[in-house]
Every structure is written in structure tokens, then in C-alpha cells.
Amino acid sequence: MKKYLILLLTSLILNASFAQDLKRVQKKYYPNPTVLDLQTPIASKKTGYTSYKEMKKYLNELQQSNDSIMKLSVIGKTQKGKDILLVKLSDSTTSQSKMRVMYFARIHGDEPGGTEGLLYFIDKMTKDNSLKELLNKIDFYILPMVNVDGGEKLTRQTANGIDLNRDQVRLETPEATAIRKLVNETDPHVCIDFHEYQPLKSAYSLLSDEVISVPWDVMFLTSGNPNVSSHIRKSIESLFLENAKTKMEVNDFTSHTYYTPKKTNKGIVMNIGGASPRSTSNTFSLNNAFSILTESRGIGLGRKSIGRRIENVYLLAESFANTVYQQDTALLAALDSAMMQKDPVAVEFVSKKTAQYPLPFINQIKNKMDTLDLDVSNAIESTVTLSRELPVKYLILPDQKYAIETLNKMGVLVDTLSREEVFEVQSFEVRDVEKENTSFKTFTPVKVKTKVRTETKRFPAGTFVIKTDQKRKRLLAVMLEPESSNGFVNYRIIEATQGKELPVFRLMD
Ligand SMILES: [Zn+2]
């Protein structure tokens, strides 16, 4: 009975406060900075956040007074026809080749902290001379608001209901395609995607009788996909994250590796990290760039701690830039080593499952930190269960236009056979096709089992040839191996039929 009363009380408190922190929790753990020299549009607003229109006007004016280092351009249009704005910060008076850093925010429209924080970063870059020194070594490509349509309504998805951070494989939205085009044109060394997470979730009432929330000012989501080069993963961990964590600590912010609840048939399991190529942190790391997704504490908090959230994003942007500035040589060497790696493709892998894993939360009623021992699934520590040698080339039959179009959007280089040729190849016979339980708006993924055979086969003129000695080799291999989670077969870009051969082949020499 007591438990039900507490649950009732919990839900009343959560509903009454619109799932926000209790006041005393805010006061104790999340004070706004006392000094924040904000000159961006939000500074003069009593309610709400910087609108798209305000942002556009502000950036236009800022460019006019800083045209030697700042250039505003348009990388594409949203579904509702809004310009997706790119701010390039670059000092063209220094001639050395620069590191290219891409920052983007508002992939999810209901996460305004990233936009506000990046506008603040841009503003400071134009005013603070010590910050401007970063431009001696770095060109910045900043997209403060990607999902403008969602941003204007403060909704997560784009106008047609697709989640942009689940669309990095099929690239069905003009917004995801525009980001990819920018990445292909600028080839950034670093891609940072600024998000916000929801600290109080109804799922947590299933974990505890108390009202609990996730405490961290920021959580870091890096790629747990075992196909990402170990050189890239190491540098992200030991350089970017180490510096960012220190930066957080000395400024009285807290940080942690990303965790989030997932409802399963065995109850709530906490997912740590992530490995799915459909989301940015993985797809851009597979692309051979240093890629991190940051999750600042924001959704559901209204404007309560907005100053703190802006400062948080700003400090992260500054920290990542400083790491690039100080470690440019080491980072370039790591990218070179990543290119040389010829590891097998990890086709299937499973996250490490642990019971009774301690994870910290805030007990909102008692106003103190609590640790819960929970079931976790850790994507950062996964075990590979199926791997294959990286082929020299993949061959794809000429009728697979959707696959080729998607590879082109991803910046993968594709050749075609000018005449019929015979090769000895590895082919995939589809043994089993099973629909997954979760559907997306436009498709239901499938799981396949295949048998690999070696055969001598005649390929017609027009067959697509994809060499794997190219920059995006890890990404394209993950996309083309049929059992890959989020790959082209799983995501229905290439259709599999039971008992038939797949239109994808591996050429081993
Ligand atoms: Zn998000």
C-alpha cells in the first residue's frame, strides 16, 4: 500500500512540476552562472528561446561587422523550405592548411540549449581576441540549428515526423542529406553534435519508489561501434574527452558517459553508449573523423537553468577546439593510422550485459545523490560475434539504384564496369529473413541470415564497383555486409529474399 501511495505522490509531483527539477534541487545542483556575458538574441528575451528568424537576423548583422572571419551561407533547405544556415569562421590571412572542425546542434528541435550555446560560442569568437587565436589553426563549420522546422515548434522530429538522428543511413530527409553534403565537401577532422537529454523520465518510476533524475550537466556519447578505428576511439577518449571532463570539473559542471533507459520485456535496462550507424556519433566516426555527441541536461527543464546550459555548451565547444589546437599533429597522425588499418569488418556484435551496475541519480525528494544498481547493456564494451575480412572490392548489380544513390550521398566513391567481366567472388545466399519488432515511419528493418559461397560469376556492364581503399571504407563495409545492424539489408535499401542470392558480392583480390 505504501508503495502505491509513494508512486501516486511521485506521479503527482512529476505532473505538477511538468517533470522539472524541484526548486531546492535546482538551487543546490544547478545554479546559473553569476556572470554570463550574453549578447545573443536570448539575452533580451523574457520567455522562450532564440527563434529561427531572430537567429538569422542576428547572424546576418554579426557577419556584417566581422566579415573578415565570418561567412554565413546556406547548405540546404528544410522540408518547409527554411534555409539551413552555416557559419564558417576562418582566418584567410594565414595560409597554412587548417584543421576542420564541424559543430552542429538542434538535430532534435526540442533541444534548444545546443543552438543557444553555439550562438554564444560564435559571438565570443568574434569578440574575444584570445579565442580568435584558434583560427590560426582551425576553420570552424557551425550549424546552430539544423532541424529548423522542429525547432520552431520545439518538437523532436522534422516536419514529416522522421527523427534526424535515426536517418543517417537511409538519408530520407533533406536535412540529413544537407549535413552529409557539407561533410563530403569540407571533409571535417572533427564532428561534434550537441544535444540535450531529459533528466526526469517516467521510465525511472519503474526503477525506484523515489523520484529520481539523471544528474549530469553533460553526458558524452562516443562511438561504441567496433568498426571505428581504435586510433580514432583512443584519441577521442584520451584527448577530447579527458580535456572536456577537466574543463567541466574546473568550472563546477559534472559529466559522465551517456546512459539512457530502454524498456525491454525484462523491464528497464540502462543502455550505456551506443553503436548504431544511424546516429551521428557512429556514422561520422566510421567516416574516419573524430566524432562525439554531447547530451546536456535540458529537455523538460524550461528556461530554469538555461544560463547554465548555454555556458555548458560553450565550454565544451571551447574545450574541443583547444584540444584540436594543441594536439593537431597527434590527431592527424591518428587519422593516418586509422586509414592504414585493415582490420576485419565486425559484422555482428553484442553489448556487454551486466547486472547490478552502479549508476548515480539525484533523489529529488531527499535532495541528494543516490546510486542505483541496475541492469545495463554497455555498447562501449561489445563482443564481436561475426567478422569477415575486408574485401578489396564490393560489387553491386546494376539494378540497385537506391543503394548506389545512398552510397553517393554518403560520399562513397563508386565505379562501374564498362563491359561484361567474369570474377571469382564471395556471394551471399539468404537463408532467413525476419522482420524486426520495431518499425520506423517509412520502413520495418529485417534481420537476415546468409551463407557465404565462393563462385565464378559473370557481371554485366554497369555493375557497380566499390573499392575499399578509400576514406569511407569502414562505413561502406558496415553498410554492405548483409547482417550489419543499420546496414543496407537491415534498413531495406537492398531487399533480401529467402533462398535467393543478394545483389552484393565480395571480391577478395
Ligand atoms: Zn537529441
Side-chain angles (χ1 to χ4, degrees), residues 12 20 26 129 133 146 156 169 172 183 200 210 221 226 231 242 347 350 355-356 358 381 388 405 425 461 503 508:
L12 282 176
Q20 296 201 357
Q26 275 279 329
N129 281 332
E133 264 180 49
V146 176
R156 179 178 173 92
V169 169
E172 293 183 283
V183 166
L200 287 102
E210 312 276 352
L221 178 54
H231 298 283
E242 271 315 298
V347 181
V350 286
Q356 303 271 307
E381 292 177 51
R388 293 191 184 110
E405 194 185 299
V425 291
M508 302 311 291

Side-chain angles (χ1 to χ4, degrees), residues 295-458:
E295 291 275 7
S296 297
R297 197 175 191 275
I299 298 182
L301 299 179
R303 276 195 32 148
K304 264 188 195 164
S305 53
I306 190 66
R308 187 177 180 89
R309 286 148 66 194
I310 294 172
E311 169 101 335
N312 175 242
V313 170
Y314 165 76
L315 289 170
L316 290 169
E318 195 199 64
S319 168
F320 295 136
N322 277 331
T323 298
V324 175
Y325 190 89
Q326 286 153 11
Q327 302 288 344
D328 54 336
T329 314
L331 293 174
L332 288 173
L335 289 179
D336 279 348
S337 304
M339 275 304 292
M340 307 291 280
Q341 262 180 324
K342 289 205 167 82
D343 298 8
V345 188
V347 181
E348 289 184 307
F349 46 89
V350 286
S351 297
K352 187 181 175 187
K353 309 279 189 290
T354 312
Q356 303 271 307
Y357 188 99
L359 285 174
F361 288 87
I362 290 178
N363 182 324
Q364 293 266 329
I365 307 296
K366 293 183 182 151
N367 201 12
K368 69 178 189 59
M369 295 285 275
D370 245 351
T371 297
L372 297 185
D373 294 328
L374 302 172
D375 290 335
V376 304
S377 173
N378 189 346
I380 309 287
E381 292 177 51
S382 57
T383 306
V384 176
T385 51
L386 173 65
S387 66
R388 293 191 184 110
E389 205 184 315
L390 185 69
V392 174
K393 292 170 186 168
Y394 285 94
L395 300 177
I396 300 182
L397 295 183
D399 62 343
Q400 297 298 312
K401 299 280 190 289
Y402 184 15
I404 299 308
E405 194 185 299
T406 310
L407 287 173
N408 283 334
K409 281 189 193 173
M410 289 178 169
V412 172
L413 306 174
V414 180
D415 301 326
T416 44
L417 287 184
S418 55
R419 57 184 168 80
E420 183 184 270
E421 274 189 72
V422 175
F423 297 109
E424 188 186 271
V425 291
Q426 291 183 346
S427 62
F428 299 99
E429 187 196 313
V430 179
R431 287 293 174 89
D432 190 44
V433 187
E434 203 186 318
K435 282 197 172 165
E436 287 186 359
N437 293 328
T438 347
S439 280
F440 290 92
K441 197 176 160 62
T442 51
F443 70 104
T444 303
V446 294
K447 265 293 192 214
V448 293
K449 287 198 179 79
T450 68
K451 183 172 165 49
V452 178
R453 277 193 310 229
T454 300
E455 61 174 316
T456 303
K457 195 177 163 71
R458 195 173 291 276

Side-chain angles (χ1 to χ4, degrees), residues 107-108 110-111 156 165 194-197 293 295 299:
I107 287 276
H108 294 140
D110 58 344
E111 300 169 10
R156 179 178 173 92
N165 209 27
F194 293 90
H195 285 249
E196 291 190 296
Y197 74 92
L293 191 155
E295 291 275 7
I299 298 182

